[in-house]
Amino acid sequence: DTGVSQDPRHKITKRGQNVTFRCDPISEHNRLYWYRQTLGQGPEFLTYFQNEAQLEKSRLLSDRFSAERPKGSFSTLEIQRTEQGDSAMYLCASSSFAPSGRSYNEQFFGPGTRLTVL
Amino acid sequence: GNSVTQMEGPVTLSEEAFLTINCTYTATGYPSLFWYVQYPGEGLQLLLKATKADDKGSNKGFEATYRKETTSFHLEKGSVQVSDSAVYFCALSQTGANNLFFGTGTRLTVIP
C-alpha cells in the first residue's frame, strides 16, 4: 500500500490557462474525494466519487471545474480558464465504503497539488 | 449548517508541556468528530476520532472527548514532544454524509 498519490505536486500557470491534476487512490478504496485548501484555512469539500460515479458536488465547484474517475480508479480534476482565486492546495482523499450501520470510513489524504495562478 | 471552530494559533510550547487545542462545532443530529494532523511536507493524517457522545478518541498520547452538551471536542496531550510540531485540524462528518467539514487549523510548535 503506497498511499494516495497526487501529480503534480506543484503547478504554476498563467491566468486563463487550463490545468489538470491527477489523483491515484489507495487501490482497494472505492471512494475518492477532492478538497481545496487555501492559505490559513482548513480543507473545503469539492466533490466525491463512489467507483466511477460522481455522487456529490459542492457549490464551490464552479462550471470551470470538472472531475472524472472514468474507470473507478484514478481521478482527474480539471480547471478551465484559471483565475487567481483558484490558487490553492488541491487535496485528494480516498476511503473504503461499508454500506452498513452508522460507520465512518477513514479518509486517507494525499500530499496535495499546490496551484499558483499568476 | 455544519461548522467547526477551533482555537487560533500559532501555539508555541516547551517540550513536556501540557497541550490543549479547543474545538467546538455546530451540526444537526449526531456527527462524528475527528482530529487530523499535518506534519511539515506531508498530507493530512487522521489522529483520532469519536463517533458518539462521551466517546474518547486517543492515539499517540493525544486524547479528545466528544462532549455533546458543550458541542466540543478539545484535543489534549499531557507532555508534548518536538516531533508533535504540526498543524492540527478539527473536523466533523454528518451521519450518512461523505464529506468532512474542517476547522481552520492550529499550528503547534514545540521547542526543546
Side-chain angles (χ1 to χ4, degrees), chain A residues 45-63:
Chain A
F45 171 76
L46 293 178
T47 188
Y48 94 94
F49 293 82
Q50 182 163 309
N51 300 313
E52 65 276 8
Q54 187 174 18
L55 297 186
E56 188 174 345
K57 292 194 286 187
S58 158
R59 290 174 299 172
L60 293 175
L61 211 65
S62 76
D63 291 345

Side-chain angles (χ1 to χ4, degrees), chain B residues 36-107:
Chain B
Y36 276 80
V37 58
Q38 188 169 34
Y39 298 104
E42 299 184 16
L44 285 164
Q45 302 174 26
L46 180 65
L47 180 60
L48 54 83
K49 69 178 186 286
T51 58
K52 61 183 187 296
D54 300 324
D55 267 2
K56 177 185 284 187
S58 60
N59 186 25
K60 300 181 180 180
F62 291 88
E63 293 183 339
T65 301
Y66 188 148
R67 301 285 188 202
K68 194 172 190 307
E69 63 275 14
T70 54
T71 61
S72 65
F73 192 56
H74 304 321
L75 182 68
E76 296 182 336
K77 186 174 185 183
S79 176
V80 293
Q81 305 301 311
V82 172
S83 57
D84 294 327
S85 298
V87 181
Y88 293 82
F89 292 92
C90 186
L92 72 82
S93 178
Q94 282 286 15
T95 303
N98 304 289
N99 53 306
L100 292 165
F101 293 89
F102 285 88
T104 55
T106 302
R107 180 175 299 279

Side-chain angles (χ1 to χ4, degrees), chain A residues 91-104:
Chain A
L91 299 171
C92 177
S94 69
S95 72
S96 58
F97 174 61
S100 61
R102 186 178 179 277
S103 64
Y104 173 77

Side-chain angles (χ1 to χ4, degrees), chain A:
Chain A
D1 179 3
T2 57
V4 178
S5 62
Q6 293 187 244
D7 183 69
R9 295 290 304 274
H10 303 274
K11 178 70 177 179
I12 300 174
T13 191
K14 293 182 179 179
R15 188 177 53 187
Q17 298 295 304
N18 299 343
V19 294
T20 300
F21 310 141
R22 176 179 170 123
C23 171
D24 286 88
I26 293 171
S27 57
E28 63 268 26
H29 285 178
N30 55 356
R31 285 196 166 174
L32 186 147
Y33 311 78
W34 285 100
Y35 291 82
R36 182 176 71 184
Q37 184 179 15
T38 53
L39 200 61
Q41 301 298 315
E44 296 173 293
F45 171 76
L46 293 178
T47 188
Y48 94 94
F49 293 82
Q50 182 163 309
N51 300 313
E52 65 276 8
Q54 187 174 18
L55 297 186
E56 188 174 345
K57 292 194 286 187
S58 158
R59 290 174 299 172
L60 293 175
L61 211 65
S62 76
D63 291 345
R64 295 185 297 105
F65 288 68
S66 63
E68 295 181 345
R69 194 183 183 198
K71 297 181 180 179
S73 56
F74 73 91
S75 175
T76 58
L77 177 67
E78 181 184 18
I79 309 174
Q80 296 182 327
R81 304 181 303 282
T82 53
E83 302 173 356
Q84 289 183 325
D86 297 332
S87 296
M89 177 77 85
Y90 290 85
L91 299 171
C92 177
S94 69
S95 72
S96 58
F97 174 61
S100 61
R102 186 178 179 277
S103 64
Y104 173 77
N105 297 288
E106 177 181 350
Q107 294 186 24
F108 293 80
F109 283 81
T113 295
R114 182 170 296 283
L115 172 66
T116 302
V117 181
L118 302 176

